Amino acid sequence: MEIQSVLEKLKFSLFSPEMVRKMSAAKIIVPDTYDDDGYPIDGGLVDTRMGVVDPGLRCKTCGGTVKECPGHFGHIEMVRPIIHVEYAKHMFYVMKNTCPNCHRILSKKPVQESEIKESEKEIIKAEDTKAVSKPEEKKEESPEKKEEAKKPSTAEEVEATTRKRSRKKKIVKKCYHCGEELPELKLLKPTSFFKNKNMMLPTEIRDWVASVSDGDLRELGFDPLYSRPEWMVFTALPVPPVNVRPSITLETGERSEDDLTHKLVDVIRINQKLEANINAGAPQLIIEDLWELLQYHVTTYFDNETANIPPARHRSGRPLKTLAQRLKGKEGRFRYNLSGKRVNFSARTVISPDPRISLDEVGIPKAIAKELTVPLRVTEWNLDYCKELVMREDYPRAIYIVRSDGKRIKVGDTEEMRKEQAENLKVGSSLERHIIDGDISLFNRQPSLHRISMMGHLIRVLPGKTFRLNPVTVSPYNADFDGDEMNLHILQTEESQAEARYLSKVDGQLLSPRHGHAIIKPQEDHVSGLYFLTNDEAVFTRDEAATMFYEVGLHELPKPDVKGGMYSGKLLFSLLLPDDLSLKMESKLGEQIVIRAGKLTRGAIESKSMEGELLEKIFVAHGPEFTKNFLNSATRMALNAITLHGLSVSLKDYSLSKKGEEKVKSVVDKMDREIDNLIMQYKNKSLERSPGKTLQETLEGLIVEITSLTRDEVGKVVESDMGITNPSIIMAKIGARGSLLNAIQMTALVAQQTVRNKRIARGYKKRILPYFREGELTGAEKGFVYSSFHSGLTPYEFMQHSMGGREALVNTAIRTARSGYMQRRLINALQDLVVLGDFTVRNADMSIVQFVYGGDRKDPMYSSTAEVLDFVKQDDIDTA
Ligand SMILES: [Mg+2]
Ligand SMILES: [Zn+2]
Ligand SMILES: [Zn+2]
């Protein structure tokens, strides 16, 4: 029978020295490990009473071997008490709140630890002192004590009033129980205590906190039955079992001990030296020096990164990895071994694009398909298929048979063995077979910043050594193909497979769960292709149309709609649209796009119309499957169209005509004149000051405005000069790639460079570079780049551009670091929240976090586009 019990609560407490001794299996007295024969020394740090790590030996405490013995603690008797680093501040808190003479609590409202940290010398407020002095607020006070308490309390009150008169005068506080003057206490981290500037010995500290009564400790937040402050001072140091700090034997036969063992050797050695000196009656100074050294070794044994003390090092110079280092941080036990673990049934390799597979597929190399397996339950319906899998010699075959009793049997190498195993295959057992086309997987790219960083993809086994991803699916992963690697996981239970198939598969994630707009959408060449497919001039021959149709799986050609037996691109595209789709929208090019009953009749498709209403409407009306097929077909057709049309740029495409250059020049000259004019007004103080700004700030603001207007004006010149047939302008206008600004900077001028949204000002005294005259305020001196990338920048312009460029670079570096940390905190805070069937959001103990999910019960993905406000479209809310 299985015995179950429910864990009601878990209580953490401190070990008392008695407890340490009681649970100790061995008192460790020898600062060494093995003797010359390689056998553990009795009373040494690998004493067999603490368990064993050598296969041949048995534990002296429980008699178990390496595998059986759980390990047992030992202990070291400290010759003098030693403070536990991690608890120094707790002891300081107790001392700060108790009297050094009568050891009673000073105030009913203890000085909080946080308050102590802020200012060590903090004066207790006059009100607090008064409140404490009131006799009726004391509990269980004997009459005599009350008498005693009265005198100082009035004295305190007098003092409180004197303090009001001169705040700066140092107040001497007194214990209101016994009248003892309270000393000035200081904690110098990590473990040095000072009383009125005199160093306190751990014995004194221990005696003080040990004398505090149970009642007062409870008042201070302790549970004295389980944790008393004097237990924070070691008189007996626990020594962890050997299997916690196993030694490793090198190939040479040499033994190498764990860092913890090394540290414990130091502790014992100094402990013994201290004992010898005390017994020999050495001078107090020498004893205190050794005592301090012992404190150092115990401190670094717990945490070798303690502030204000040098870390203990190996002879090689490498700092020792002690207790705290095992647990802390990214590589510590918690984050490395517990929160995140290595997993089986996963693969990782470089990704590369494949626009011919479906967007919800992932192409995997055969080598990976032959390595990963998925469990397959043997039923009476698939028995024959399962037998065949067992019989097979090559790729899709079963590798293991898991019998119903849980035993795993490897499928045999020889045909006879396999034949026998196939014949014995029974319903109820299961197979572990190779993954094949159509299996579900979870595909992931790090950093996993949102839930769509992990999506369900169908397996497609392909030749090659990379994962193949449809380029239309890169955006949720933020992937590109410049060497990015991704992880693939094969799900091992039917439940998780169903979840991947029905909840996290790519086609269910076409719209963002954050803003409800499309995130898996045609990009770059897809957009160019769609434009070349659907603009008014696009006509295709019968052959071309047939090829396109074949590729998207349509086998019937419509009637040609252009004379000469030609097909318009609009007609071809329309055949992909659902029949009930009617839309009217304005395109990025400013023309009308009209779709009537699934027929595109006017306008050319570009990025905005495609990813905007078109995709979202189809998704909301027809669901994931239909939208997936539509996207697959549309992108495939688009790529065909761009292949037929061709799209390329050359240097000539980024050159202005003579006339254009003159126009740019005149715009820039105008700007220079305006700036000169403003500077003149500034210099003779006739410039009108803007409210809330200095005159200089006013001038800078106006100049920045002029430079940005100039850039816009130049943009217009560039646009009209290069014309709509220029590929770079087309790409910018339809939203395929690049912007008008890119074209401006390449052809006309790079324009104003800024640092922190201001004209560049840093560098030398009153100028950016020695090249300039001091104090000049015109364009060139303050970061306006008159050259274009085409003509080339002057040396000082290059400098200014670099200054502006570096800011952008630094910002992205900082943003990624910060968003990574923010992700960690959010995951920790929200990891157990779940939306239940009744739409409440609850945490792990079923407490309600939100009565209705999102406050309105709406899934942004399935909200109609009209209901989603435009302002949430800003993509940078999360990282701003
Ligand atoms: Mg990359
Ligand atoms: Zn044992
Ligand atoms: Zn006292």
Side-chain angles (χ1 to χ4, degrees), residues 73 85 234 237-240 245 259-261 263-264 267 295-304 306 312 321-325:
F73 271 87
V85 243
F234 286 115
L237 181 74
V239 175
R245 44 187 175 86
D259 283 3
L260 282 187
T261 309
K263 205 63 238 182
L264 286 165
V267 171
Q295 174 73 61
Y296 167 80
H297 283 304
V298 175
T299 300
T300 48
Y301 165 68
F302 281 100
D303 185 356
N304 202 18
T306 312
K321 222 177 155 198
T322 51
L323 285 173
Q325 279 64 53

PDB file of all heavy atoms in Angstrom, residues 73 85 234 237-240 245 259-261 263-264 267 295-304 306 312 321-325:
ATOM      1  N   PHE A  73      26.542  13.978   9.336  1.00  0.00           N
ATOM      2  CA  PHE A  73      27.293  15.166   9.730  1.00  0.00           C
ATOM      3  C   PHE A  73      28.340  14.838  10.796  1.00  0.00           C
ATOM      4  O   PHE A  73      28.161  13.915  11.591  1.00  0.00           O
ATOM      5  CB  PHE A  73      26.345  16.227  10.286  1.00  0.00           C
ATOM      6  CG  PHE A  73      25.807  17.148   9.230  1.00  0.00           C
ATOM      7  CD1 PHE A  73      24.665  16.808   8.512  1.00  0.00           C
ATOM      8  CD2 PHE A  73      26.443  18.340   8.949  1.00  0.00           C
ATOM      9  CE1 PHE A  73      24.176  17.643   7.540  1.00  0.00           C
ATOM     10  CE2 PHE A  73      25.955  19.187   7.974  1.00  0.00           C
ATOM     11  CZ  PHE A  73      24.820  18.838   7.266  1.00  0.00           C
ATOM     12  N   VAL A  85      28.657  34.546   9.743  1.00  0.00           N
ATOM     13  CA  VAL A  85      28.567  35.778   8.929  1.00  0.00           C
ATOM     14  C   VAL A  85      27.160  36.191   8.607  1.00  0.00           C
ATOM     15  O   VAL A  85      26.805  37.363   8.680  1.00  0.00           O
ATOM     16  CB  VAL A  85      29.233  35.662   7.537  1.00  0.00           C
ATOM     17  CG1 VAL A  85      30.372  36.608   7.413  1.00  0.00           C
ATOM     18  CG2 VAL A  85      29.487  34.248   7.141  1.00  0.00           C
ATOM     19  N   PHE A 234      29.013  30.267  16.738  1.00  0.00           N
ATOM     20  CA  PHE A 234      29.391  28.852  16.761  1.00  0.00           C
ATOM     21  C   PHE A 234      30.282  28.512  17.942  1.00  0.00           C
ATOM     22  O   PHE A 234      31.297  29.167  18.173  1.00  0.00           O
ATOM     23  CB  PHE A 234      30.176  28.484  15.506  1.00  0.00           C
ATOM     24  CG  PHE A 234      29.330  28.378  14.298  1.00  0.00           C
ATOM     25  CD1 PHE A 234      29.506  29.268  13.254  1.00  0.00           C
ATOM     26  CD2 PHE A 234      28.369  27.385  14.182  1.00  0.00           C
ATOM     27  CE1 PHE A 234      28.726  29.171  12.118  1.00  0.00           C
ATOM     28  CE2 PHE A 234      27.585  27.286  13.043  1.00  0.00           C
ATOM     29  CZ  PHE A 234      27.772  28.188  12.022  1.00  0.00           C
ATOM     30  N   LEU A 237      31.000  23.682  15.130  1.00  0.00           N
ATOM     31  CA  LEU A 237      30.742  23.919  13.702  1.00  0.00           C
ATOM     32  C   LEU A 237      30.384  22.601  13.024  1.00  0.00           C
ATOM     33  O   LEU A 237      31.169  21.654  13.066  1.00  0.00           O
ATOM     34  CB  LEU A 237      31.997  24.511  13.057  1.00  0.00           C
ATOM     35  CG  LEU A 237      31.906  24.836  11.570  1.00  0.00           C
ATOM     36  CD1 LEU A 237      31.068  26.084  11.338  1.00  0.00           C
ATOM     37  CD2 LEU A 237      33.288  25.023  10.976  1.00  0.00           C
ATOM     38  N   PRO A 238      29.177  22.517  12.407  1.00  0.00           N
ATOM     39  CA  PRO A 238      28.826  21.271  11.724  1.00  0.00           C
ATOM     40  C   PRO A 238      29.730  21.029  10.511  1.00  0.00           C
ATOM     41  O   PRO A 238      30.062  21.970   9.789  1.00  0.00           O
ATOM     42  CB  PRO A 238      27.374  21.461  11.299  1.00  0.00           C
ATOM     43  CG  PRO A 238      27.029  22.865  11.562  1.00  0.00           C
ATOM     44  CD  PRO A 238      28.139  23.540  12.289  1.00  0.00           C
ATOM     45  N   VAL A 239      30.116  19.789  10.306  1.00  0.00           N
ATOM     46  CA  VAL A 239      30.919  19.417   9.143  1.00  0.00           C
ATOM     47  C   VAL A 239      30.053  18.545   8.237  1.00  0.00           C
ATOM     48  O   VAL A 239      29.577  17.510   8.662  1.00  0.00           O
ATOM     49  CB  VAL A 239      32.178  18.626   9.570  1.00  0.00           C
ATOM     50  CG1 VAL A 239      32.947  18.149   8.355  1.00  0.00           C
ATOM     51  CG2 VAL A 239      33.064  19.494  10.438  1.00  0.00           C
ATOM     52  N   PRO A 240      29.809  18.997   7.011  1.00  0.00           N
ATOM     53  CA  PRO A 240      28.912  18.238   6.135  1.00  0.00           C
ATOM     54  C   PRO A 240      29.476  16.866   5.781  1.00  0.00           C
ATOM     55  O   PRO A 240      30.690  16.676   5.766  1.00  0.00           O
ATOM     56  CB  PRO A 240      28.793  19.118   4.898  1.00  0.00           C
ATOM     57  CG  PRO A 240      29.954  20.022   4.935  1.00  0.00           C
ATOM     58  CD  PRO A 240      30.299  20.210   6.362  1.00  0.00           C
ATOM     59  N   ARG A 245      30.910  16.742  -0.337  1.00  0.00           N
ATOM     60  CA  ARG A 245      32.170  17.337  -0.824  1.00  0.00           C
ATOM     61  C   ARG A 245      33.130  16.216  -1.240  1.00  0.00           C
ATOM     62  O   ARG A 245      34.200  16.063  -0.674  1.00  0.00           O
ATOM     63  CB  ARG A 245      32.799  18.206   0.272  1.00  0.00           C
ATOM     64  CG  ARG A 245      32.749  17.534   1.633  1.00  0.00           C
ATOM     65  CD  ARG A 245      33.194  18.420   2.767  1.00  0.00           C
ATOM     66  NE  ARG A 245      32.985  17.702   4.015  1.00  0.00           N
ATOM     67  CZ  ARG A 245      33.851  16.853   4.559  1.00  0.00           C
ATOM     68  NH1 ARG A 245      35.017  16.656   3.987  1.00  0.00           N
ATOM     69  NH2 ARG A 245      33.565  16.206   5.662  1.00  0.00           N
ATOM     70  N   ASP A 259      36.647  21.968  -2.596  1.00  0.00           N
ATOM     71  CA  ASP A 259      36.971  23.255  -1.975  1.00  0.00           C
ATOM     72  C   ASP A 259      36.499  23.332  -0.523  1.00  0.00           C
ATOM     73  O   ASP A 259      37.163  23.926   0.322  1.00  0.00           O
ATOM     74  CB  ASP A 259      36.344  24.404  -2.774  1.00  0.00           C
ATOM     75  CG  ASP A 259      37.147  24.693  -4.035  1.00  0.00           C
ATOM     76  OD1 ASP A 259      38.130  23.961  -4.274  1.00  0.00           O
ATOM     77  OD2 ASP A 259      36.791  25.633  -4.764  1.00  0.00           O
ATOM     78  N   LEU A 260      35.340  22.730  -0.254  1.00  0.00           N
ATOM     79  CA  LEU A 260      34.824  22.780   1.124  1.00  0.00           C
ATOM     80  C   LEU A 260      35.775  22.058   2.080  1.00  0.00           C
ATOM     81  O   LEU A 260      36.030  22.529   3.184  1.00  0.00           O
ATOM     82  CB  LEU A 260      33.448  22.131   1.207  1.00  0.00           C
ATOM     83  CG  LEU A 260      32.246  22.935   0.721  1.00  0.00           C
ATOM     84  CD1 LEU A 260      30.964  22.194   1.057  1.00  0.00           C
ATOM     85  CD2 LEU A 260      32.216  24.321   1.348  1.00  0.00           C
ATOM     86  N   THR A 261      36.294  20.925   1.655  1.00  0.00           N
ATOM     87  CA  THR A 261      37.233  20.172   2.487  1.00  0.00           C
ATOM     88  C   THR A 261      38.490  20.999   2.745  1.00  0.00           C
ATOM     89  O   THR A 261      38.965  21.084   3.868  1.00  0.00           O
ATOM     90  CB  THR A 261      37.595  18.845   1.800  1.00  0.00           C
ATOM     91  OG1 THR A 261      36.379  18.192   1.424  1.00  0.00           O
ATOM     92  CG2 THR A 261      38.387  17.944   2.735  1.00  0.00           C
ATOM     93  N   LYS A 263      38.744  24.156   2.817  1.00  0.00           N
ATOM     94  CA  LYS A 263      38.403  25.232   3.744  1.00  0.00           C
ATOM     95  C   LYS A 263      38.319  24.686   5.175  1.00  0.00           C
ATOM     96  O   LYS A 263      38.788  25.315   6.125  1.00  0.00           O
ATOM     97  CB  LYS A 263      37.060  25.820   3.310  1.00  0.00           C
ATOM     98  CG  LYS A 263      36.801  27.243   3.730  1.00  0.00           C
ATOM     99  CD  LYS A 263      37.759  28.209   3.150  1.00  0.00           C
ATOM    100  CE  LYS A 263      38.440  28.928   4.275  1.00  0.00           C
ATOM    101  NZ  LYS A 263      39.374  29.951   3.822  1.00  0.00           N
ATOM    102  N   LEU A 264      37.734  23.493   5.317  1.00  0.00           N
ATOM    103  CA  LEU A 264      37.594  22.910   6.652  1.00  0.00           C
ATOM    104  C   LEU A 264      38.965  22.548   7.227  1.00  0.00           C
ATOM    105  O   LEU A 264      39.181  22.641   8.440  1.00  0.00           O
ATOM    106  CB  LEU A 264      36.682  21.683   6.594  1.00  0.00           C
ATOM    107  CG  LEU A 264      35.192  22.023   6.418  1.00  0.00           C
ATOM    108  CD1 LEU A 264      34.392  20.802   6.005  1.00  0.00           C
ATOM    109  CD2 LEU A 264      34.629  22.630   7.696  1.00  0.00           C
ATOM    110  N   VAL A 267      40.212  25.602   8.762  1.00  0.00           N
ATOM    111  CA  VAL A 267      39.509  25.900  10.012  1.00  0.00           C
ATOM    112  C   VAL A 267      40.106  25.079  11.155  1.00  0.00           C
ATOM    113  O   VAL A 267      40.434  25.617  12.214  1.00  0.00           O
ATOM    114  CB  VAL A 267      37.989  25.617   9.866  1.00  0.00           C
ATOM    115  CG1 VAL A 267      37.300  25.714  11.230  1.00  0.00           C
ATOM    116  CG2 VAL A 267      37.364  26.598   8.890  1.00  0.00           C
ATOM    117  N   GLN A 295      38.047  33.289  12.592  1.00  0.00           N
ATOM    118  CA  GLN A 295      36.791  33.917  12.150  1.00  0.00           C
ATOM    119  C   GLN A 295      36.804  34.089  10.629  1.00  0.00           C
ATOM    120  O   GLN A 295      35.826  33.796   9.951  1.00  0.00           O
ATOM    121  CB  GLN A 295      36.628  35.276  12.836  1.00  0.00           C
ATOM    122  CG  GLN A 295      35.421  36.080  12.344  1.00  0.00           C
ATOM    123  CD  GLN A 295      34.106  35.504  12.839  1.00  0.00           C
ATOM    124  OE1 GLN A 295      33.872  35.435  14.050  1.00  0.00           O
ATOM    125  NE2 GLN A 295      33.265  35.061  11.927  1.00  0.00           N
ATOM    126  N   TYR A 296      37.946  34.512  10.098  1.00  0.00           N
ATOM    127  CA  TYR A 296      38.070  34.710   8.651  1.00  0.00           C
ATOM    128  C   TYR A 296      37.810  33.399   7.905  1.00  0.00           C
ATOM    129  O   TYR A 296      37.074  33.350   6.924  1.00  0.00           O
ATOM    130  CB  TYR A 296      39.459  35.255   8.304  1.00  0.00           C
ATOM    131  CG  TYR A 296      39.772  35.195   6.828  1.00  0.00           C
ATOM    132  CD1 TYR A 296      39.280  36.166   5.961  1.00  0.00           C
ATOM    133  CD2 TYR A 296      40.540  34.158   6.298  1.00  0.00           C
ATOM    134  CE1 TYR A 296      39.541  36.107   4.602  1.00  0.00           C
ATOM    135  CE2 TYR A 296      40.808  34.086   4.945  1.00  0.00           C
ATOM    136  CZ  TYR A 296      40.311  35.063   4.099  1.00  0.00           C
ATOM    137  OH  TYR A 296      40.557  34.995   2.757  1.00  0.00           O
ATOM    138  N   HIS A 297      38.425  32.313   8.401  1.00  0.00           N
ATOM    139  CA  HIS A 297      38.267  31.036   7.704  1.00  0.00           C
ATOM    140  C   HIS A 297      36.835  30.530   7.767  1.00  0.00           C
ATOM    141  O   HIS A 297      36.312  30.007   6.779  1.00  0.00           O
ATOM    142  CB  HIS A 297      39.227  29.994   8.281  1.00  0.00           C
ATOM    143  CG  HIS A 297      40.636  30.185   7.802  1.00  0.00           C
ATOM    144  ND1 HIS A 297      40.958  30.216   6.465  1.00  0.00           N
ATOM    145  CD2 HIS A 297      41.792  30.360   8.468  1.00  0.00           C
ATOM    146  CE1 HIS A 297      42.258  30.401   6.330  1.00  0.00           C
ATOM    147  NE2 HIS A 297      42.794  30.502   7.543  1.00  0.00           N
ATOM    148  N   VAL A 298      36.186  30.704   8.910  1.00  0.00           N
ATOM    149  CA  VAL A 298      34.787  30.258   9.012  1.00  0.00           C
ATOM    150  C   VAL A 298      33.887  31.132   8.140  1.00  0.00           C
ATOM    151  O   VAL A 298      32.974  30.643   7.474  1.00  0.00           O
ATOM    152  CB  VAL A 298      34.316  30.249  10.486  1.00  0.00           C
ATOM    153  CG1 VAL A 298      32.841  29.911  10.571  1.00  0.00           C
ATOM    154  CG2 VAL A 298      35.128  29.253  11.293  1.00  0.00           C
ATOM    155  N   THR A 299      34.193  32.432   8.125  1.00  0.00           N
ATOM    156  CA  THR A 299      33.406  33.347   7.286  1.00  0.00           C
ATOM    157  C   THR A 299      33.507  32.951   5.815  1.00  0.00           C
ATOM    158  O   THR A 299      32.500  32.818   5.123  1.00  0.00           O
ATOM    159  CB  THR A 299      33.901  34.799   7.464  1.00  0.00           C
ATOM    160  OG1 THR A 299      33.747  35.166   8.837  1.00  0.00           O
ATOM    161  CG2 THR A 299      33.121  35.760   6.598  1.00  0.00           C
ATOM    162  N   THR A 300      34.728  32.743   5.339  1.00  0.00           N
ATOM    163  CA  THR A 300      34.880  32.398   3.921  1.00  0.00           C
ATOM    164  C   THR A 300      34.400  30.980   3.625  1.00  0.00           C
ATOM    165  O   THR A 300      34.074  30.666   2.491  1.00  0.00           O
ATOM    166  CB  THR A 300      36.344  32.554   3.460  1.00  0.00           C
ATOM    167  OG1 THR A 300      37.190  31.904   4.411  1.00  0.00           O
ATOM    168  CG2 THR A 300      36.718  34.012   3.362  1.00  0.00           C
ATOM    169  N   TYR A 301      34.343  30.145   4.649  1.00  0.00           N
ATOM    170  CA  TYR A 301      33.778  28.798   4.459  1.00  0.00           C
ATOM    171  C   TYR A 301      32.297  28.912   4.087  1.00  0.00           C
ATOM    172  O   TYR A 301      31.799  28.181   3.237  1.00  0.00           O
ATOM    173  CB  TYR A 301      33.953  27.979   5.737  1.00  0.00           C
ATOM    174  CG  TYR A 301      33.128  26.716   5.808  1.00  0.00           C
ATOM    175  CD1 TYR A 301      33.388  25.633   4.969  1.00  0.00           C
ATOM    176  CD2 TYR A 301      32.088  26.600   6.713  1.00  0.00           C
ATOM    177  CE1 TYR A 301      32.634  24.482   5.037  1.00  0.00           C
ATOM    178  CE2 TYR A 301      31.332  25.450   6.789  1.00  0.00           C
ATOM    179  CZ  TYR A 301      31.595  24.391   5.951  1.00  0.00           C
ATOM    180  OH  TYR A 301      30.837  23.257   6.013  1.00  0.00           O
ATOM    181  N   PHE A 302      31.619  29.889   4.685  1.00  0.00           N
ATOM    182  CA  PHE A 302      30.205  30.080   4.352  1.00  0.00           C
ATOM    183  C   PHE A 302      30.026  30.855   3.064  1.00  0.00           C
ATOM    184  O   PHE A 302      29.205  30.500   2.236  1.00  0.00           O
ATOM    185  CB  PHE A 302      29.477  30.795   5.492  1.00  0.00           C
ATOM    186  CG  PHE A 302      29.131  29.869   6.623  1.00  0.00           C
ATOM    187  CD1 PHE A 302      29.900  29.815   7.767  1.00  0.00           C
ATOM    188  CD2 PHE A 302      28.048  29.009   6.505  1.00  0.00           C
ATOM    189  CE1 PHE A 302      29.593  28.941   8.789  1.00  0.00           C
ATOM    190  CE2 PHE A 302      27.736  28.131   7.521  1.00  0.00           C
ATOM    191  CZ  PHE A 302      28.510  28.092   8.664  1.00  0.00           C
ATOM    192  N   ASP A 303      30.770  31.939   2.914  1.00  0.00           N
ATOM    193  CA  ASP A 303      30.604  32.779   1.730  1.00  0.00           C
ATOM    194  C   ASP A 303      31.954  33.369   1.367  1.00  0.00           C
ATOM    195  O   ASP A 303      32.477  34.222   2.078  1.00  0.00           O
ATOM    196  CB  ASP A 303      29.586  33.894   2.031  1.00  0.00           C
ATOM    197  CG  ASP A 303      29.293  34.734   0.791  1.00  0.00           C
ATOM    198  OD1 ASP A 303      29.939  34.499  -0.260  1.00  0.00           O
ATOM    199  OD2 ASP A 303      28.416  35.605   0.865  1.00  0.00           O
ATOM    200  N   ASN A 304      32.483  32.929   0.252  1.00  0.00           N
ATOM    201  CA  ASN A 304      33.801  33.400  -0.150  1.00  0.00           C
ATOM    202  C   ASN A 304      33.730  34.670  -0.984  1.00  0.00           C
ATOM    203  O   ASN A 304      34.693  35.090  -1.579  1.00  0.00           O
ATOM    204  CB  ASN A 304      34.549  32.301  -0.911  1.00  0.00           C
ATOM    205  CG  ASN A 304      36.050  32.507  -0.893  1.00  0.00           C
ATOM    206  OD1 ASN A 304      36.560  33.248  -0.058  1.00  0.00           O
ATOM    207  ND2 ASN A 304      36.749  31.874  -1.805  1.00  0.00           N
ATOM    208  N   THR A 306      32.181  37.404   0.528  1.00  0.00           N
ATOM    209  CA  THR A 306      31.761  38.364   1.537  1.00  0.00           C
ATOM    210  C   THR A 306      32.434  39.711   1.289  1.00  0.00           C
ATOM    211  O   THR A 306      33.625  39.767   1.015  1.00  0.00           O
ATOM    212  CB  THR A 306      32.156  37.846   2.934  1.00  0.00           C
ATOM    213  OG1 THR A 306      31.756  36.492   3.052  1.00  0.00           O
ATOM    214  CG2 THR A 306      31.508  38.675   4.032  1.00  0.00           C
ATOM    215  N   ALA A 312      39.245  33.741  -0.056  1.00  0.00           N
ATOM    216  CA  ALA A 312      40.268  32.711   0.102  1.00  0.00           C
ATOM    217  C   ALA A 312      40.581  32.111  -1.260  1.00  0.00           C
ATOM    218  O   ALA A 312      39.674  31.873  -2.054  1.00  0.00           O
ATOM    219  CB  ALA A 312      39.767  31.643   1.043  1.00  0.00           C
ATOM    220  N   LYS A 321      35.382  27.880  -4.106  1.00  0.00           N
ATOM    221  CA  LYS A 321      33.923  27.894  -4.246  1.00  0.00           C
ATOM    222  C   LYS A 321      33.332  27.287  -2.979  1.00  0.00           C
ATOM    223  O   LYS A 321      33.313  26.077  -2.818  1.00  0.00           O
ATOM    224  CB  LYS A 321      33.543  27.072  -5.482  1.00  0.00           C
ATOM    225  CG  LYS A 321      32.455  27.729  -6.298  1.00  0.00           C
ATOM    226  CD  LYS A 321      32.159  26.938  -7.544  1.00  0.00           C
ATOM    227  CE  LYS A 321      30.735  27.242  -7.963  1.00  0.00           C
ATOM    228  NZ  LYS A 321      30.201  26.269  -8.875  1.00  0.00           N
ATOM    229  N   THR A 322      32.885  28.120  -2.074  1.00  0.00           N
ATOM    230  CA  THR A 322      32.378  27.596  -0.810  1.00  0.00           C
ATOM    231  C   THR A 322      30.856  27.578  -0.784  1.00  0.00           C
ATOM    232  O   THR A 322      30.222  27.757  -1.813  1.00  0.00           O
ATOM    233  CB  THR A 322      32.972  28.382   0.373  1.00  0.00           C
ATOM    234  OG1 THR A 322      32.783  29.759   0.145  1.00  0.00           O
ATOM    235  CG2 THR A 322      34.460  28.102   0.524  1.00  0.00           C
ATOM    236  N   LEU A 323      30.273  27.366   0.412  1.00  0.00           N
ATOM    237  CA  LEU A 323      28.832  27.091   0.502  1.00  0.00           C
ATOM    238  C   LEU A 323      27.936  28.057  -0.274  1.00  0.00           C
ATOM    239  O   LEU A 323      27.129  27.623  -1.098  1.00  0.00           O
ATOM    240  CB  LEU A 323      28.412  27.049   1.977  1.00  0.00           C
ATOM    241  CG  LEU A 323      28.841  25.784   2.714  1.00  0.00           C
ATOM    242  CD1 LEU A 323      28.533  25.905   4.203  1.00  0.00           C
ATOM    243  CD2 LEU A 323      28.120  24.563   2.141  1.00  0.00           C
ATOM    244  N   ALA A 324      28.067  29.364  -0.026  1.00  0.00           N
ATOM    245  CA  ALA A 324      27.174  30.316  -0.693  1.00  0.00           C
ATOM    246  C   ALA A 324      27.347  30.274  -2.202  1.00  0.00           C
ATOM    247  O   ALA A 324      26.369  30.386  -2.951  1.00  0.00           O
ATOM    248  CB  ALA A 324      27.438  31.727  -0.172  1.00  0.00           C
ATOM    249  N   GLN A 325      28.572  30.056  -2.658  1.00  0.00           N
ATOM    250  CA  GLN A 325      28.831  30.031  -4.099  1.00  0.00           C
ATOM    251  C   GLN A 325      28.174  28.839  -4.780  1.00  0.00           C
ATOM    252  O   GLN A 325      27.926  28.865  -5.972  1.00  0.00           O
ATOM    253  CB  GLN A 325      30.345  30.011  -4.371  1.00  0.00           C
ATOM    254  CG  GLN A 325      31.001  31.375  -4.276  1.00  0.00           C
ATOM    255  CD  GLN A 325      30.927  31.947  -2.891  1.00  0.00           C
ATOM    256  OE1 GLN A 325      31.317  31.294  -1.936  1.00  0.00           O
ATOM    257  NE2 GLN A 325      30.398  33.147  -2.749  1.00  0.00           N
TER     258      GLN A 325
END
